[in-house]
Amino acid sequence: MKILVAVKRVIDYNVKIRVKPDNSDVDLTNVKMAMNPFCEIAMEEAVRLKERGVGTEVVAVSIGPKAAQEQLRTALALGADRAIHVETDERIESLAVAKLLTKVVEEEQPSLVIVGKQAIDTDNNQTGQMLAALTGLSQGTFASEVIIEGGKAKVTREVDGGLQAIELSLPAIVTTDLRLNEPRYAKLPDIMKAKKKPLDTKTPADLGIEVASNITLLKVESPAERQGGVKVGSVDELIDKLKNEAKVIS
Ligand code: AMP
């Protein structure tokens, strides 16, 4: 069973985000980039399925600038057998990503596609669902457990206030939630081996897809600075402040 995993290059989740002085975008100058955490979980799940003998080949795909090859090399070090890089410097929206992934799915014919539930830079939470719509494949979003059995995928989904169990016919698209697994770290020998694993490069034009965005980013703002706290002398003073200053109780 071939498994395709989509991995996105994003700002490392440990980095404190800086906004450009003109508020036009997030400042990416000299910022540490990494694999989107939900894509790490997707990679881990694919590798575990392969280790269990359910998966036979894991293919990682990333769409983005040349530097996205760093995240593909990480995917290869984590256990992907080969990688596909669709190179573009355009700011691409989820729909364009889903269209490109549709083409890759058509070429690769995987039995399972695993993507993150959301990219932590744009917070879109759209690509998996759009990919399912475009390919006509079944989808299990926000997965906290995936079991492949008898040509089906049993997916436990994290829904508001509980869990939902569904069964999907394969091929299927699964999007990963936080509790699906705990991703491993790449070991040094695997990082070295990953350098020799195959990495194919394509362009959106090779796949016949127009990636120009219909969305204009107007403004990005940092959250308001936190104000310092105050010490109150008594419960009465606290209640007075909550009532008359913060106006959160009446
Ligand atoms: P989003 O819908 O943009 O929040 O992203 C959800 C998931 O779609 C990510 O976790 C990735 O698995 C996949 N994805 C989004 N953008 C890309 C990209 N540029 N390259 C590869 N995968 C992507």
Side-chain angles (χ1 to χ4, degrees):
M1 185 177 95
K2 191 195 278 190
I3 306 171
L4 185 73
V5 181
V7 299
K8 186 177 186 190
R9 174 183 173 85
V10 297
I11 293 191
D12 187 289
Y13 73 94
N14 291 303
V15 168
K16 187 167 177 346
I17 309 284
R18 280 192 322 259
V19 171
K20 287 183 180 172
D22 64 359
N23 291 99
S24 61
D25 205 344
V26 169
D27 189 355
L28 292 181
T29 327
N30 298 324
V31 168
K32 183 167 182 269
M33 304 293 281
M35 187 187 294
N36 182 48
F38 291 105
C39 302
E40 287 181 342
I41 296 172
M43 262 312 300
E44 177 65 32
E45 196 61 19
V47 173
R48 287 189 191 186
L49 286 169
K50 194 179 164 193
E51 286 170 346
R52 271 185 239 135
V54 178
T56 48
E57 189 185 24
V58 177
V59 181
V61 54
S62 191
I63 299 147
K66 189 155 187 73
Q69 291 190 9
E70 288 169 21
Q71 281 60 52
L72 285 173
R73 288 289 168 205
T74 304
L76 292 166
L78 290 169
D81 297 286
R82 59 190 174 85
I84 301 168
H85 178 212
V86 182
E87 189 174 343
T88 172
D89 289 324
E90 296 272 340
R91 165 190 279 278
I92 40 169
E93 303 301 334
S94 298
L95 182 58
V97 173
K99 285 180 183 171
L100 290 164
L101 291 177
T102 299
K103 291 291 173 188
V104 176
V105 167
E106 282 167 10
E107 281 181 9
E108 293 288 335
Q109 297 286 315
S111 300
L112 187 65
V113 182
I114 315 183
V115 307
K117 78 164 177 182
Q118 139 184 10
I120 61 160
D121 52 358
T122 52
D123 270 352
N124 280 358
N125 179 0
Q126 294 172 341
T127 306
Q129 295 88 328
M130 287 175 166
L131 181 61
L134 292 172
T135 55
L137 300 182
S138 40
Q139 63 171 324
T141 50
F142 316 134
S144 62
E145 189 176 36
V146 178
I147 297 169
I148 309 290
E149 233 172 40
K152 306 260 183 203
K154 288 189 174 149
V155 176
T156 305
R157 304 183 58 231
E158 300 221 343
V159 292
D160 280 350
L163 298 172
Q164 184 193 51
I166 56 170
E167 190 176 75
L168 310 172
S169 51
L170 297 177
I173 320 268
V174 165
T175 80
T176 60
D177 215 319
L178 204 58
R179 278 161 287 272
L180 180 57
N181 60 49
E182 258 190 49
R184 68 195 70 188
Y185 293 101
K187 295 194 206 92
L188 188 60
D190 294 332
I191 295 172
M192 302 311 286
K193 274 189 226 151
K195 293 184 181 168
K196 295 208 177 101
K197 288 190 179 177
L199 190 158
D200 270 0
T201 307
K202 298 174 191 289
T203 63
D206 293 338
L207 296 169
I209 299 295
E210 175 60 58
V211 292
S213 174
N214 294 324
I215 299 173
T216 308
L217 179 59
L218 298 178
K219 192 176 178 190
V220 177
E221 281 178 85
S222 303
E225 286 284 318
R226 269 186 81 147
Q227 304 293 316
V230 284
K231 260 193 180 170
V232 289
S234 66
V235 172
D236 286 346
E237 192 187 340
L238 173 65
I239 291 172
D240 179 65
K241 280 188 183 295
L242 291 174
K243 245 189 208 166
N244 301 315
E245 278 182 31
K247 298 192 191 322
V248 289
I249 58 172
S250 49

